[in-house]
Amino acid sequence: MAEAKAPSKPRIEEHVEIDSAPASFVKNDALSPESRVFREKAEGLYRWAQDHIVAGLEELDGTKFRTDAWSRPGGGGGISRVLQNGNVFEKAGVNVSVVYGIMPPEAVRAASLKHKGGEPQSKDNVPFFAAGISSVIHPWNPMAPTMHFNYRYFETSSSGGSEPDFWWFGGGTDLTPSYLFNEDVSHFHKTLKGACDKHDPEYYPKFKKWCDDYFLIQHRGERRGLGGIFFDDQNDRPREDLIAFQRSCAEAILPAYLPLVAKRKDMPYTEEQKMWQQLRRGRYVEFNLVYDRGTVFGLKTGGRIESILMSLPLTARWEYDQQPAPGSPEADLLDACKNPRDWL
């Protein structure tokens, strides 16, 4: 008779639901005071942004978000806030995570294309810390655009200790409409440019192009949407300057996006236009599951699956060889996704 196996220890993937989030998820007695303070500052920014943005979305929708707090046995935890089947939004999520522990080298490559001073030399598991906020908002009305944003701070240690050898910031905000209203996209980009210009006039043109390049669905030859800003591996100036830039970006999200939804949420639409929205959401799903580095990182580090896949819409559609009619609004949107435009 085979000997019964001892119960396995909890895996990193087995996240634990908790009644409420602690004041801080940062727990590491081996940290220097400087490292602890900055980690808590990054966490504080993302938790403030979550509260601020959820409040704005709830006011427009008239529905409250569900809140789930969770802890990660490997280290850290997070707060997931999700609205489904609201009055304005079919699905909206605003998640914060503050996680740390060890990760395989391939997860480091998924998290960052490069590090200042070179790649970590170890081929073994790498100590890391990651804090961030991520959101995707899908309205019911196909005339109202989907919007995504993500801002994060990351540390790794190639020496195996608690103190970081490498650190960087990343993030961005982008718009994915199903129908193109030039004035809406222009407002969105101008608002993001204003946030960038407070810190560096070169940020917006650089990060706008980066966004257009990053969100390319390579197997389709088209972008997921109409862009915004995107950046990664940002560590070319003091951390205090870079986290201040992230705050400006977070402060720009509601004024960039909510006026567009308020303007379009009650517009009439046809069944055919709703089906086009579903097709464009299919493109959204393709990008997120095939190319998105955040999704890959979350899966490789045993992230909370409900939070990782929160970005996917409730409904999407694929049709064989669907082509919009030449000269139609749908064709105009597709052309803008294939050939990025200047929206200013």
Side-chain angles (χ1 to χ4, degrees), residues 129-178:
F129 171 85
I133 181 170
S134 181
S135 174
V136 180
I137 303 163
H138 298 287
W140 289 106
N141 195 311
M143 302 300 162
T146 286
M147 190 267 293
H148 157 264
F149 68 86
N150 173 284
Y151 291 96
R152 56 196 176 274
Y153 171 67
F154 215 105
E155 297 176 354
T156 62
S157 174
S158 61
S159 61
S162 299
E163 296 299 310
D165 296 323
F166 305 96
W167 60 262
W168 67 95
F169 292 87
T173 305
D174 60 281
L175 195 70
T176 304
S178 297

Side-chain angles (χ1 to χ4, degrees), residues 49-281:
Q50 183 184 49
D51 290 342
H52 173 67
I53 291 163
V54 164
L57 296 172
E58 288 180 339
E59 182 177 2
L60 181 62
D61 191 276
T63 305
K64 293 293 185 181
F65 277 63
R66 165 181 171 172
T67 299
D68 291 331
W70 49 272
S71 66
R72 176 179 178 271
I79 307 167
S80 298
R81 304 184 70 175
V82 179
L83 183 156
Q84 288 188 166
N85 296 312
N87 297 311
V88 176
F89 303 112
E90 184 178 74
K91 185 179 181 184
V94 187
N95 293 343
V96 165
S97 63
V98 182
V99 295
Y100 48 89
I102 58 173
M103 62 180 175
E106 59 267 24
V108 180
R109 292 188 287 273
S112 173
L113 292 176
K114 61 184 178 63
H115 296 91
K116 187 175 182 179
E119 293 285 348
Q121 298 300 311
S122 176
K123 296 182 180 180
D124 299 323
N125 289 338
V126 178
F128 80 100
F129 171 85
I133 181 170
S134 181
S135 174
V136 180
I137 303 163
H138 298 287
W140 289 106
N141 195 311
M143 302 300 162
T146 286
M147 190 267 293
H148 157 264
F149 68 86
N150 173 284
Y151 291 96
R152 56 196 176 274
Y153 171 67
F154 215 105
E155 297 176 354
T156 62
S157 174
S158 61
S159 61
S162 299
E163 296 299 310
D165 296 323
F166 305 96
W167 60 262
W168 67 95
F169 292 87
T173 305
D174 60 281
L175 195 70
T176 304
S178 297
Y179 285 90
L180 173 54
F181 297 95
N182 286 294
E183 64 272 28
D184 289 4
V185 186
S186 177
H187 168 83
F188 186 81
H189 277 261
K190 286 179 179 177
T191 306
L192 297 184
K193 182 179 184 299
C196 290
D197 286 351
K198 293 177 182 178
H199 300 268
D200 191 324
E202 295 184 0
Y203 273 175
Y204 173 78
K206 178 182 178 181
F207 297 160
K208 192 268 187 190
K209 183 181 185 306
W210 202 339
C211 188
D212 290 336
D213 293 342
Y214 176 75
F215 287 107
L216 175 66
I217 306 172
Q218 297 174 27
H219 59 272
R220 296 281 189 181
E222 64 190 65
R223 277 86 189 156
R224 186 176 77 177
L226 301 184
I229 59 172
F230 176 87
F231 58 92
D232 209 352
D233 303 304
Q234 193 183 36
N235 57 6
D236 60 341
R237 56 194 73 187
R239 289 191 299 184
E240 293 292 342
D241 293 350
L242 296 178
I243 200 170
F245 171 55
Q246 289 213 340
R247 174 173 284 275
S248 293
C249 291
E251 291 171 346
I253 289 167
L254 291 182
Y257 180 62
L258 284 192
L260 312 186
V261 181
K263 188 191 309 184
R264 307 297 176 189
K265 65 184 178 66
D266 297 318
M267 288 182 66
Y269 58 88
T270 66
E271 182 179 348
E272 289 75 17
Q273 289 170 328
K274 185 66 177 179
M275 289 176 64
W276 173 253
Q277 180 198 50
Q278 300 300 293
L279 291 168
R280 294 312 304 172
R281 286 182 174 178

